[in-house]
Amino acid sequence: MKIKVTKDAAKTFTFPKKIGIGIKVRLNETTGKFDLHIGFLYFDMMSGKPYFCHQTNEKDRNKNEPIRENYSWVSTSFNEAESTSIITTCAVLCNKSVSIGGIPYGFTFRPNLINSGEWQGGGVEGVTCATFVLAILESLGFSILETDYWFDRSEADKEAEKAWKEYILELFSKDVGPISIARIRKSDTSPRFKPEEVTVGCASTDRPIDYNVASNRAEQLRNDLEIDDTLFDF
């Protein structure tokens, strides 16, 4: 299936009752390639602006804020009622997580990390931008990826994942202390779900999709984004 990418979300996202996935491209300084950052994109009726609910990093953690410039977006396959439930959960989760200092960053994904708009992770657990989206959807009963397939990947994929995680830890070490870095390292209990895989899962009408389908559609998405260094921002 063809997944349409629309540029300049701050100006082009105008659907008041549906939810999208916002996408930001940024440079991975270790690999020289570009990584994607994602979150839920929705239209805030109070401000009249598109808002972005996302997991940032260990220092800043989760945020719910107006979308910034240079983000692209894709439409999702969620209907109006489903979109409303996701938007509501985003707002409740971000409000409630303030009291715990925000949702921790980490390499964890499992059922019930979020329940009724509250973070249920414990110990070393935390989420990336992609698993933040997955965890919210899972808490509402929406399955977009057949996640068991992600445990059975090629050795090349697994090695690339290790390199990415080490890059993230090195990057975060500039802003947070060794205790936080050690916690994130210990949170590594699940395979990486890439932002582009989660994005195409949300956009697919035949969800949940397996690893091979997600990988193929994710490659198409990256090509459609026409990734180049003019979009770099972190």
Side-chain angles (χ1 to χ4, degrees):
M1 65 175 288
K2 179 70 173 177
I3 297 172
K4 180 183 178 182
V5 176
T6 305
K7 303 290 181 69
D8 198 0
K11 295 179 180 178
T12 60
F13 186 82
T14 58
F15 298 107
K17 296 181 180 179
K18 294 288 291 289
I19 197 159
I21 296 292
I23 308 169
K24 182 62 184 177
V25 179
R26 59 193 183 192
L27 181 66
N28 182 318
E29 296 171 351
T30 298
T31 65
K33 296 181 179 180
F34 290 87
D35 289 335
L36 305 185
H37 174 68
I38 66 168
F40 287 114
L41 179 64
Y42 67 96
F43 197 81
D44 180 65
M45 300 300 288
M46 294 291 290
S47 66
K49 297 179 180 179
Y51 260 60
F52 191 49
C53 181
H54 60 128
Q55 174 74 324
T56 60
N57 51 51
E58 174 61 9
K59 179 183 177 182
D60 299 320
R61 298 192 171 185
N62 56 302
K63 290 187 175 183
N64 195 21
E65 59 189 353
I67 194 80
R68 290 179 287 171
E69 295 180 356
N70 294 332
Y71 279 71
S72 299
W73 65 277
V74 301
S75 183
T76 67
S77 60
F78 301 108
N79 62 33
E80 185 177 322
E82 292 169 338
S83 295
T84 298
S85 66
I86 296 169
I87 293 167
T88 301
T89 300
C90 286
V92 171
L93 179 65
C94 287
N95 286 335
K96 288 187 174 182
S97 63
V98 171
S99 64
I100 60 171
I103 295 172
Y105 192 98
F107 305 131
T108 310
F109 180 69
R110 65 165 176 82
N112 304 314
L113 279 173
I114 294 170
N115 185 34
S116 300
E118 292 194 51
W119 173 249
Q120 302 294 316
V124 299
E125 292 181 322
V127 290
T128 65
C129 69
T131 50
F132 176 78
V133 170
L134 276 180
I136 288 175
L137 294 176
E138 188 273 338
S139 76
L140 294 168
F142 301 134
S143 177
I144 61 167
L145 302 177
E146 294 182 9
T147 55
D148 287 348
Y149 283 87
W150 268 252
F151 288 88
D152 185 22
R153 296 162 298 143
S154 70
E155 289 303 315
D157 282 346
K158 292 177 182 178
E159 288 302 313
E161 177 182 311
K162 289 179 182 178
W164 176 81
K165 289 176 177 176
E166 287 301 319
Y167 164 72
I168 290 295
L169 291 170
E170 180 181 353
L171 187 67
F172 287 1
S173 67
K174 301 173 184 178
D175 297 315
V176 298
I179 293 176
S180 292
I181 296 300
R183 180 198 59 76
I184 297 172
R185 191 180 295 278
K186 290 178 181 178
S187 74
D188 190 1
T189 58
S190 68
R192 183 191 181 197
F193 296 90
K194 296 178 182 178
E196 53 266 45
E197 294 166 348
V198 173
T199 299
V200 299
C202 288
S204 297
T205 55
D206 55 344
R207 53 182 163 89
I209 57 177
D210 66 26
Y211 179 73
N212 289 331
V213 172
S215 295
N216 290 335
R217 292 178 185 174
E219 184 62 27
Q220 173 209 311
L221 176 68
R222 291 180 66 87
N223 291 337
D224 288 349
L225 282 166
E226 299 176 355
I227 295 173
D228 62 66
D229 57 10
T230 63
L231 294 174
F232 168 62
D233 178 49
F234 187 79

